[in-house]
């Protein structure tokens, strides 16, 4: 049996009791590192905290390993109980559908243990989840690569009065271009997009496209470290959030659509304070 | 401190370790009954299982009580640790934004402990969560009340190629019309909309509106008891799902939009088998 276990959004204590029982039963425990490298990379004690709590050694599997060695893991799961740990929910922002398909094709039983994901925990901002449109991803722009297909999606959502959740780029274990040319992989340091970068890219695209999908005055909510003890949520127009220091990753951003009174009351708690100078204007 | 603790979707073991620690620390434990009455109503042992595991007596608070006695609960939370348990996630399909707003206005600190919700766990069907449009709710039609404002929302989602999650009506502790007239409340037995009823109402509305938002051949996925050990997921055209017995509640329904290959592979596992007679045609 392959248990795909969501770990939730905070630390080792955000696993469910059902998930913990499953992990402790398993002969082997893997952990998806693509998003989890985040916490592991920032806090070297995170992995050992997990191992201590679960009473198991954990093999961290980066994206390459999951792709290359998935079959090995699935063969193990054919004969024994194997856990594959995933930050958030197994089918949240990063999905593991392909792993489930492979497992089913190999006749390996799969059991999913759900947990919170950014896709639902973002409800804590006070905007109703059912009033969100399509979720978009904003990639890091480079000199030569500035994909902006998210623009139409935001435009569609806003035409319908819907909120837009923007997932921000995570670049973990990306080989440097130079190292690829030399044939031996050297990895770039991990990068996580901040709310500030996301907004500045969004405003750049709006200026280029000119479709008035949003603008510097559009109300947004910046969210950092959602679900952690030190999560930070700040609402305000794009131009004001540009300068807010949200601290360490992960960040995400919500472009607010039409709001209902109860949504507005909640947003008010998160609203950025105007400076005294502005109040006097 | 008021802890609003998500219980997840299955049974008492779906609480997170962080949530369990909080509940065990609390002086008083309330439980929202609007959606939880579901499991409690169907399985009388569910509440005592929760109480046993948490080592606490639980006061079940129905919707009336939450509305009428929220202030009392919040006053208790001003001086002591109080837990308010919620099935799924505190900000999932049923949100508790109003409670948070009240608490903040009274100066009571609130801590939210997230968990899985139908809004993210539905990812298990294999459709990518970011490819969902606005979520709709389908209410029970009566002789005289057949609201269909969800129709345009489905139409908008489908025009954009997006999937539509349909949340199905739950009628718990609804006073009978007769009892309201007599001034003493008598409650109707709880009712939960099935996938079959939802589809038959949807087809009725399509016939009336004639906007070709969807039809009897539109691919849907019916889901029952999401996140439980006996969850049931069946994909197929609306007309075929009409006759599938999904068993006990809760049910929800997904109207599938445009699909990607990896989504199609997953849906294939859930696809309803054609009868032999049809195969021969």
């Amino acid at each position: 049996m392959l248990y795909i276990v969501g770990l939730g959004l905070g630390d080792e204590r955000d696993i469910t009791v059902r998930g913990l029982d499953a992990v402790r039963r398993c002969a082997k425990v893997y952990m998806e590192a693509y998003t989890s490298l985040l916490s592991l990379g920032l806090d070297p004690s995170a992995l050992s905290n997990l191992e201590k709590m679960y009473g198991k050694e954990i093999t961290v599997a980066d994206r390459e390993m999951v792709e290359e060695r998935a079959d090995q893991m699935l063969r193990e799961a054919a004969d024994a109980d194997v856990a594959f740990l995933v930050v958030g929910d197994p089918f949240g922002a990063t999905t593991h559908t392909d792993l489930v398909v492979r497992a089913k094709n190999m006749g390996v039983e799969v059991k999913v243990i759900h947990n919170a994901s950014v896709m639902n925990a973002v409800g804590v901002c006070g905007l109703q989840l059912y009033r969100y449109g399509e979720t978009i991803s904003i990639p890091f722009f480079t000199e030569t690569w500035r994909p902006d297909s998210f623009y139409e999606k935001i435009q569609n959502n806003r035409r319908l009065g819907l909120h837009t959740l923007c997932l921000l780029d995570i670049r973990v274990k990306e080989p440097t271009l130079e190292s690829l040319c030399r044939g031996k992989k050297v990895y770039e340091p991990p990068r996580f997009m901040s709310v500030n970068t996301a907004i500045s890219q969004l405003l750049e695209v709006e200026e280029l496209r000119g479709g008035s999908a949003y603008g510097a005055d559009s109300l947004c909510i910046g969210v950092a470290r959602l679900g952690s003890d030190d999560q930070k949520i700040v609402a305000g127009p794009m131009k004001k959030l540009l300068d807010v220091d949200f601290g360490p990753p992960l960040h995400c951003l919500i472009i607010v659509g039409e709001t209902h009174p109860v949504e507005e009351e909640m947003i008010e708690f998160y609203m950025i304070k105007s400076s005294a100078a502005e109040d006097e204007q």
Side-chain angles (χ1 to χ4, degrees), chain A:
Chain A
M1 173 85 82
L2 176 69
Y3 289 92
I4 308 185
V5 182
L7 298 185
L9 296 169
D11 61 24
E12 71 278 3
R13 290 166 58 236
D14 288 291
I15 195 170
T16 65
V17 173
R18 181 190 299 275
L20 186 58
D21 288 350
V23 172
R24 287 185 173 156
R25 256 200 321 272
C26 281
K28 193 130 189 200
V29 181
Y30 292 90
M31 178 166 180
E32 179 258 358
Y34 177 54
T35 42
S36 62
L37 256 185
L38 161 68
S39 41
L40 299 175
L42 293 171
D43 175 5
S45 64
L47 182 62
S48 66
N49 286 346
L50 288 173
E51 291 185 324
K52 238 177 278 169
M53 175 157 177
Y54 304 162
K56 292 282 175 184
E57 199 182 311
I58 298 173
T59 306
V60 176
D62 61 31
R63 208 162 25 155
E64 280 171 32
M65 179 178 156
V66 172
E67 279 161 21
E68 290 166 11
R69 289 177 48 191
D71 285 351
Q72 180 201 321
M73 181 173 79
L74 292 174
R75 275 193 302 274
E76 289 168 2
D79 303 321
D81 285 343
V82 172
F84 183 66
L85 310 182
V86 173
V87 169
D89 183 73
F91 299 100
T94 309
T95 69
H96 295 277
T97 315
D98 48 341
L99 188 65
V100 176
V101 168
R102 274 207 225 192
K104 294 208 179 201
N105 285 335
M106 285 173 70
V108 174
E109 269 194 280
V110 176
K111 200 159 177 64
V112 173
I113 299 177
H114 289 287
N115 209 318
S117 147
V118 57
M119 307 295 284
N120 69 304
V122 77
V124 77
C125 297
L127 301 175
Q128 309 282 328
L129 285 188
Y130 61 84
R131 296 281 303 154
Y132 279 79
E134 186 170 2
T135 300
I136 65 156
S137 294
I138 304 183
F140 274 116
F141 284 178
T142 68
E143 284 294 308
T144 52
W145 194 67
R146 306 174 94 75
D148 60 3
S149 61
F150 53 74
Y151 186 79
E152 281 80 16
K153 295 176 184 173
I154 300 175
Q155 205 161 33
N156 287 331
N157 286 343
R158 288 180 67 83
R159 270 195 204 121
L160 298 170
L162 302 174
H163 314 307
T164 306
L165 172 61
C166 310
L167 302 175
L168 309 187
D169 205 357
I170 299 173
R171 297 186 76 78
V172 172
K173 225 179 167 186
E174 299 284 336
T176 62
L177 188 60
E178 195 192 349
S179 79
L180 279 178
C181 298
R182 291 189 186 167
K184 195 190 162 201
K185 285 187 187 169
V186 176
Y187 298 101
E188 289 179 358
R191 290 170 72 204
F192 306 100
M193 189 183 286
S194 67
V195 167
N196 320 91
T197 301
I199 291 179
S200 107
Q201 291 193 183
L202 281 169
L203 290 176
E204 182 192 315
V205 172
E206 176 57 61
E207 198 166 343
L208 202 75
R209 297 291 204 98
S212 301
Y214 51 84
D217 291 315
S218 299
L219 181 60
C220 288
I221 306 178
V223 181
R225 299 171 304 285
L226 179 64
S228 300
D229 278 334
D230 67 339
Q231 79 180 8
K232 180 166 186 166
I233 303 175
V234 184
M238 281 192 181
K239 63 183 176 199
K240 285 200 181 174
L241 295 187
L242 267 177
D243 300 322
V244 174
D245 180 5
F246 283 88
L250 280 182
H251 295 183
C252 67
L253 177 71
I254 301 143
I255 305 173
V256 180
E258 287 164 20
T259 49
H260 294 279
V262 69
E263 292 180 318
E264 287 156 20
E265 277 187 290
M266 272 291 274
I267 294 175
E268 205 44 55
F269 291 116
Y270 299 121
M271 197 66 81
I272 191 169
K273 300 295 172 285
S274 300
S275 68
E278 281 176 305
D279 285 345
E280 284 166 14
Q281 280 174 0

